Structures are given as C-alpha cells and as structure tokens.
Amino acid sequence: MAFRKKAEKATDASRADVKPQQQQASLEPRFTKAALLGSRRYGASKDLISVLVGDEERCGHEEVERRIQAFIKKEAD
C-alpha cells in the first residue's frame, strides 16, 4: 500500500510540469502554410493566414484560430 502511494505521488509530480495545453497541442495535426491556404476551412481568412503564419512554419487548427482571434481583437482595441 505504501509503495502504491509513493508511485502515485511520483506520477502526479511528473504531470505537474506538463500543462494540459502542451500535451494536447502535441497531439494536434500540424499543417504547412500552403496547406492551410488551400483548405476550404480558411477560405475567408486566406489573407490573414498569409500574414500570421510563417512560410516554413507548421500550425494546428487551434493555433491558427487563436492567432486569427488575437489579430481581430487587437484590431478592435
């Protein structure tokens, strides 16, 4: 029983260093700028994506959405 509690504490301590967003972001598929520009999902936002995503950079959908929303919010302020 004591061994199990020590193991659980060690596991909890190792998880404390990794934030949930970091874990989730690593599982999300990442796309090139060209793939994002060619997708129907971002048809209305092609101009923004061409500015917000670097040529050699790979981004997931969540990251692209965050960048677009941050840009829109920044422009509104």
Side-chain angles (χ1 to χ4, degrees), residues 13-60:
S14 66
R15 287 185 198 150
D17 296 340
V18 180
K19 296 179 182 176
Q21 285 183 344
Q22 290 174 336
Q23 283 180 334
Q24 198 172 30
S26 64
L27 299 176
E28 182 184 19
R30 303 179 68 74
F31 304 95
T32 62
K33 180 178 182 176
L36 293 168
L37 290 172
S39 72
R40 287 187 281 167
R41 182 175 185 165
Y42 299 111
S45 303
K46 287 184 179 184
D47 292 337
L48 284 175
I49 290 174
S50 65
V51 172
L52 298 174
V53 179
D55 292 334
E56 301 298 320
E57 188 176 9
R58 291 182 174 262
C59 292

Side-chain angles (χ1 to χ4, degrees), residues 61-75:
H61 292 299
E62 289 180 15
E63 177 65 24
V64 172
E65 292 295 331
R66 259 193 308 270
R67 289 181 186 190
I68 290 172
Q69 293 304 317
F71 180 81
I72 292 170
K73 183 179 177 186
K74 180 177 137 184
E75 288 297 311

